[in-house]
Amino acid sequence: MVADHGLAGRESADELAKTVRESIQRLNRRIRQARPVGDLTFSQLSALTSLQLAGALTPRELADVERVQPPTMTKIVGKLEERGLVARTPHPTDGRQVILSATEQGQAVHAQFEKARNEWLASQLAALAPEDRETLAKASEILQKISRA
Amino acid sequence: MVADHGLAGRESADELAKTVRESIQRLNRRIRQARPVGDLTFSQLSALTSLQLAGALTPRELADVERVQPPTMTKIVGKLEERGLVARTPHPTDGRQVILSATEQGQAVHAQFEKARNEWLASQLAALAPEDRETLAKASEILQKISRA
DNA sequence: CAGGCTCATTAGCTAGGCTAAGAATCGTGA
DNA sequence: TCACGATTCTTAGCCTAGCTAATGAGCCTG
């Protein structure tokens, strides 16, 4: 139960949902803007990151992790493959499936862009009070859990 | 599994930036999925919300608030106008400018969709421990501040 | 071994984002 | 006063990202 007695700082789930949604939406847009022109897009970088974290995935698995539909992932992977950042290899036992993995170049490019991508946000975070960073770290964990639901 | 990685051992701003970015990105995508089909999109709802909060804005102002370029806002407003949710009225003194405002219908539709949009997230939040909600409330404030920078 | 299922891709659509360029209007300085 | 630069919005044209529906290849089970 949500035992909400209107205590100071205690918001209802509805109110909080609105607040959370607005804040992450704005920030998301703000971060998108900070991207270095002409290269990896947000979605491409994200897919590359997931691939690298997992080691290797099938398109279906990657689509699930990224929460998009398989055809969308086909497109994104296609772009990454064109640039030589991701390799498709056949599945050893199942002829339908494909194994995706980041190439060496993909890993290098990823590290470089990840850094640039985070630069703006990192500088903002560095300016915060330590306890605020603590709050954000905890909040991120909570949000991750929710996203997986 | 609240893997307490370095909360006590202080995360660097870089590490934290990565964590925060990933979590909000995933959640953003998750929320987008939860939208009721065939109606207002995320961007349209956001623009409508901003308009309503501000009362009335010019396209340029709305684009700034939403952090997109003016031509993008022209498109979004066009869609909203087609549906009769936003009205364009001429600026009283400056013939170049336009005043945008939410129509009565726009306000009604907004309220309804805002609710639906938040429903999934709200239900997730309701299931959290009170102190987790507290954390998210604080985190949202911090993120809002950052986004404005 | 036939039929049904799963996986990946292709085709085709919409929305959202951008830049470049245009038309209308404003305002200012000669 | 009026011509010219600046501002505002829109149009045109491009790309990415997302979706559904449909296709083809391969797996598996009765």
Side-chain angles (χ1 to χ4, degrees), chain B residues 31-51:
Chain B
I31 292 173
R32 259 172 208 268
Q33 285 187 317
R35 82 173 140 151
V37 277
D39 271 303
L40 284 189
T41 67
F42 211 62
S43 301
Q44 289 167 16
L45 180 58
S46 180
L48 188 53
T49 301
S50 292
L51 254 188

Side-chain angles (χ1 to χ4, degrees), chain A residues 96-115:
Chain A
R96 295 166 302 179
Q97 297 189 48
V98 176
I99 305 290
L100 303 173
S101 58
T103 62
E104 226 171 275
Q105 195 194 345
Q107 297 184 20
V109 166
H110 167 262
Q112 167 196 339
F113 275 85
E114 187 74 12
K115 191 163 170 300

Side-chain angles (χ1 to χ4, degrees), chain A residues 76-148:
Chain A
I76 294 172
V77 168
K79 296 268 161 57
L80 291 172
E81 202 186 14
E82 273 176 22
R83 287 181 162 87
L85 307 180
V86 160
R88 281 182 168 98
T89 54
H91 191 287
T93 65
D94 189 335
R96 295 166 302 179
Q97 297 189 48
V98 176
I99 305 290
L100 303 173
S101 58
T103 62
E104 226 171 275
Q105 195 194 345
Q107 297 184 20
V109 166
H110 167 262
Q112 167 196 339
F113 275 85
E114 187 74 12
K115 191 163 170 300
R117 181 60 50 95
N118 278 338
E119 216 161 67
W120 173 82
L121 183 56
S123 72
Q124 301 295 316
L125 296 178
L128 292 176
E131 64 265 30
D132 281 356
R133 279 200 295 276
E134 185 95 2
T135 298
L136 290 183
K138 281 187 202 155
S140 296
E141 273 182 43
I142 299 169
L143 294 180
Q144 299 257 13
K145 230 182 304 175
I146 289 178
S147 299
R148 269 184 232 115

Side-chain angles (χ1 to χ4, degrees), chain A residues 25-68:
Chain A
Q25 178 178 346
R26 290 256 149 70
L27 184 58
N28 217 24
R29 241 183 312 215
R30 188 70 181 71
I31 291 173
R32 256 171 211 270
Q33 285 188 317
R35 83 171 140 155
V37 277
D39 271 301
L40 285 188
T41 67
F42 211 63
S43 301
Q44 289 167 16
L45 180 58
S46 180
L48 188 53
T49 302
S50 292
L51 254 188
Q52 215 166 332
L53 288 180
L57 293 172
T58 67
R60 158 71 69 182
E61 287 166 341
L62 184 52
D64 285 347
V65 170
E66 292 291 308
R67 297 207 163 270
V68 298

Side-chain angles (χ1 to χ4, degrees), chain B residues 48-104:
Chain B
L48 188 53
T49 301
S50 292
L51 254 188
Q52 215 167 331
L53 288 179
L57 292 171
T58 67
R60 158 71 69 181
E61 287 166 342
L62 184 52
D64 285 347
V65 170
E66 291 291 306
R67 297 205 165 271
V68 297
Q69 295 302 307
T72 300
M73 194 43 71
T74 295
K75 277 192 192 177
I76 294 173
V77 168
K79 296 267 162 59
L80 291 172
E81 203 186 11
E82 272 176 22
R83 287 180 161 87
L85 307 180
V86 160
R88 280 182 167 98
T89 54
H91 191 285
T93 65
D94 189 335
R96 294 166 302 180
Q97 298 190 46
V98 176
I99 305 290
L100 303 173
S101 58
T103 63
E104 225 170 275

